[in-house]
Amino acid sequence: EMETRREVTHEMGRQYMEMQESFNERITALQEDVAASKAEIEDVQRTAERTRIEKDDKINQQDEEIKTLTAKMESMAFEFADMLKSTLDKMSQRIEVTHSSWDRDAGKPPLMNR
């Protein structure tokens, strides 16, 4: 009976050691998975931060371009308004000259004199 007890105790010890080794291997594998996941999370966070910075830079660049183009458009509108005013002034002068010559020619339209 002592021999049987020793064999059972030995077998239980062996099974315990196998289970302990199996658990240690599982713990090591899970720790490696955790480390890999942490590294992946950090990589994704860096990528997200880089993308956010690029987005902000692009938005700032486009805002500056909008400001520049708006200023250019306003400048062109003022130039066009000046051109129209100049053209109107010239046409008004020509009409005035034509009108005064029409008055001198006794009411005949200027084209009738030709």
Side-chain angles (χ1 to χ4, degrees):
E1 182 175 311
M2 221 25 192
E3 184 65 30
T4 307
R5 196 181 287 175
R6 207 176 289 146
E7 287 176 8
V8 169
T9 304
H10 178 68
E11 180 61 25
M12 287 177 66
R14 187 189 62 76
Q15 288 178 2
Y16 172 80
M17 293 302 275
E18 283 180 9
M19 287 175 46
Q20 186 68 31
E21 187 177 322
S22 174
F23 285 139
N24 286 339
E25 288 173 1
R26 177 97 170 115
I27 288 170
T28 301
L30 291 174
Q31 286 174 339
E32 289 172 358
D33 288 348
V34 167
S37 294
K38 283 182 180 179
E40 187 176 344
I41 287 170
E42 289 173 1
D43 186 45
V44 168
Q45 287 175 336
R46 280 191 300 271
T47 301
E49 181 64 17
R50 186 173 43 247
T51 301
R52 186 192 60 75
I53 290 170
E54 289 173 0
K55 173 198 62 104
D56 290 345
D57 288 347
K58 186 70 171 175
I59 288 172
N60 290 336
Q61 178 185 5
Q62 289 177 341
D63 286 346
E64 286 300 317
E65 186 175 359
I66 288 170
K67 287 177 187 176
T68 301
L69 292 174
T70 300
K72 186 175 180 180
M73 187 173 66
E74 289 175 1
S75 172
M76 291 173 72
F78 286 125
E79 287 178 26
F80 186 66
D82 289 342
M83 286 172 40
L84 286 177
K85 182 164 179 4
S86 173
T87 302
L88 177 63
D89 291 344
K90 287 178 184 176
M91 289 178 71
S92 294
Q93 288 174 354
R94 287 184 183 158
I95 289 172
E96 189 64 37
V97 167
T98 302
H99 182 66
S100 64
S101 70
W102 190 345
D103 286 344
R104 270 187 284 130
D105 294 340
K108 290 183 182 176
L111 294 177
M112 298 300 255
N113 291 336
R114 290 184 183 175

